[in-house]
Amino acid sequence: MRRGQWAKERERLWAASHEGVISIDDLVALGVPERTAYRRTQEDGPWTLLAPATFLLSNGEPTRRQLEIAALVYAGDGAVLTGWGGARHYGLRRGAVPESVHVLISWDRSVLSTPTITVERTRRLPRAIVRDGLAVAPLVRCLTDGARRTKDLTEIAAVFAEAVQKRQVLAEALRTELDCGSRKGTAAPRRVLIAVEAGVWSAAEYETREFWLSWDDLPEIEWNTTIYDEDGLFLAVADGLVREVGLVLQVDSVEHHFATPEQVQQTLEYHRRLRAAGLHVLGIRPAQRRDDPGGLHTDILDALDVARLLPPPRVRYEARTA
């Protein structure tokens, strides 16, 4: 085929593809013999085989979007993206997106998974929602499907908390979805959901809550409580609050030496506001939980003792729900 003819054919095929992704059936319908199509995916060929019978009309590295399109083309009618990757199409950014694209298909169909595409059959195939031009499961389903395949509790907490804090889903909706779907792999997300329903807003807060609950001698604590002064003016949202003694926990998500000057200044101002109202503040860093749990426990007990000696704080509290 001459260069000019090849360029015209490539333009014609690309126009018929989904951003360069096309099935063998469509190629044959467009006049490309099956044998020719597969030959073009061989070494140094112009095309790439992304999945069985699913082609990329170039030999470059496919983008994540092209891999998702290929997964939908390969999985066929009714397939939808799900999991952490699907959640990205709703603007969420927490959680590591697996290299494999996760798609759902109807239970009565049979499509095998590949090294780059995880095909899950389900009796509860959700209605597709078009996000960024692609068929995606509803966000609550993406979150629970991703959580079922994730063992890291902190990662699950980060994703769940982001979605709930942004008011994109309700904690109750996550629990309902976990109850309605397969029980396989739901132990970890159910444990995390208890913390989210208790008001935890971040992975760092989740880890701190787990640490707190591991000690029998620590009192009841609440999370993300809004604090006002005596005149009703907003002071802060306390990451953690022991209301009975007026102790506030500030849960840092990064180590102090990684904080920017602006973050350091904001922390100082946060402490001053709360201390001026009669509250005692204790900052907790990730390294303390990880490297010196016994020392952190002692620091908390000391802070509780100090808080008990102080006069009652001049504040009002308003609990914030998940």
Side-chain angles (χ1 to χ4, degrees):
M1 184 180 295
R2 296 179 180 178
R3 180 175 298 180
Q5 292 176 316
W6 167 251
K8 288 183 179 179
E9 184 193 30
R10 185 181 187 283
E11 183 177 342
R12 178 175 69 90
L13 295 178
W14 191 276
S17 72
H18 302 273
E19 300 182 29
V21 179
I22 192 168
S23 71
I24 187 63
D25 289 342
D26 287 341
L27 284 171
V28 171
L30 290 166
V32 180
E34 184 172 330
R35 183 174 180 180
T36 299
Y38 282 101
R39 186 174 64 247
R40 290 177 180 175
T41 67
Q42 295 176 357
E43 187 175 358
D44 297 327
W47 294 353
T48 304
L49 189 65
L50 295 181
T54 308
F55 298 77
L56 175 64
L57 300 178
S58 75
N59 58 7
E61 189 72 22
T63 65
R64 176 72 187 185
R65 180 175 176 84
Q66 286 173 324
L67 291 174
E68 290 179 328
I69 294 172
L72 292 173
V73 169
Y74 168 66
D77 292 341
V80 294
L81 299 172
T82 192
W84 289 166
R88 291 296 174 100
H89 290 282
Y90 290 89
L92 299 185
R93 290 295 175 262
R94 302 293 184 185
V97 176
E99 293 183 5
S100 175
V101 178
H102 189 182
V103 294
L104 299 174
I105 63 171
S106 176
W107 180 263
D108 58 3
R109 299 185 57 230
S110 180
V111 180
L112 297 178
S113 295
T114 76
T116 59
I117 302 172
T118 299
V119 181
E120 181 179 348
R121 298 164 62 221
T122 176
R123 297 184 186 277
R124 300 175 54 252
L125 184 67
R127 183 175 180 180
I129 296 177
V130 178
R131 304 288 299 187
D132 305 320
L134 302 179
V136 185
L139 178 56
V140 67
R141 182 66 178 270
C142 290
L143 293 173
T144 54
D145 282 345
R148 287 192 297 106
R149 293 175 176 268
T150 303
K151 295 181 179 179
D152 189 333
L153 296 176
T154 301
E155 182 177 348
I156 297 173
V159 179
F160 278 13
E162 181 187 12
V164 171
Q165 187 179 358
K166 288 183 175 180
R167 298 292 190 262
Q168 290 183 269
V169 298
L170 296 174
E172 293 87 344
L174 290 169
R175 181 168 295 282
T176 298
E177 182 62 37
L178 288 173
D179 289 341
C180 292
S182 169
R183 296 296 175 124
K184 183 179 179 180
T186 63
R190 286 179 190 280
R191 178 175 172 182
V192 169
L193 194 54
I194 292 172
V196 174
E197 290 173 327
V200 164
W201 279 359
S202 69
E205 290 175 5
Y206 172 79
E207 291 179 335
T208 303
R209 180 179 182 273
E210 290 291 291
F211 174 87
W212 190 279
L213 293 176
S214 70
W215 298 92
D216 294 334
D217 56 351
L218 296 183
E220 182 178 349
I221 187 171
E222 57 192 79
W223 301 92
N224 291 296
T225 299
T226 305
I227 303 177
Y228 301 92
D229 68 13
E230 292 177 304
D231 297 321
L233 296 177
F234 173 81
L235 289 176
V237 176
D239 295 339
L241 172 68
V242 182
R243 188 182 295 228
E244 64 179 86
V245 298
L247 174 65
V248 171
L249 296 188
Q250 182 187 16
V251 181
D252 296 327
S253 58
V254 297
E255 301 296 352
H256 284 328
H257 55 275
F258 290 132
T260 66
E262 292 78 11
Q263 289 173 322
V264 172
Q265 183 61 34
Q266 289 172 0
T267 297
L268 292 174
E269 293 174 358
Y270 175 89
H271 285 209
R272 290 192 191 106
R273 287 198 307 272
L274 296 180
R275 285 170 178 159
L279 292 159
H280 187 52
V281 184
L282 176 66
I284 295 179
R285 302 188 305 278
Q288 292 175 287
R289 297 190 301 267
R290 182 182 63 249
D291 302 332
D292 187 21
L296 176 57
H297 176 237
T298 298
D299 290 344
I300 293 173
L301 292 177
D302 290 344
L304 288 167
D305 288 339
V306 171
R308 291 187 183 98
L309 296 174
L310 296 174
R314 302 175 299 281
V315 297
R316 294 193 293 109
Y317 303 118
E318 180 183 317
R320 303 186 70 168
T321 61

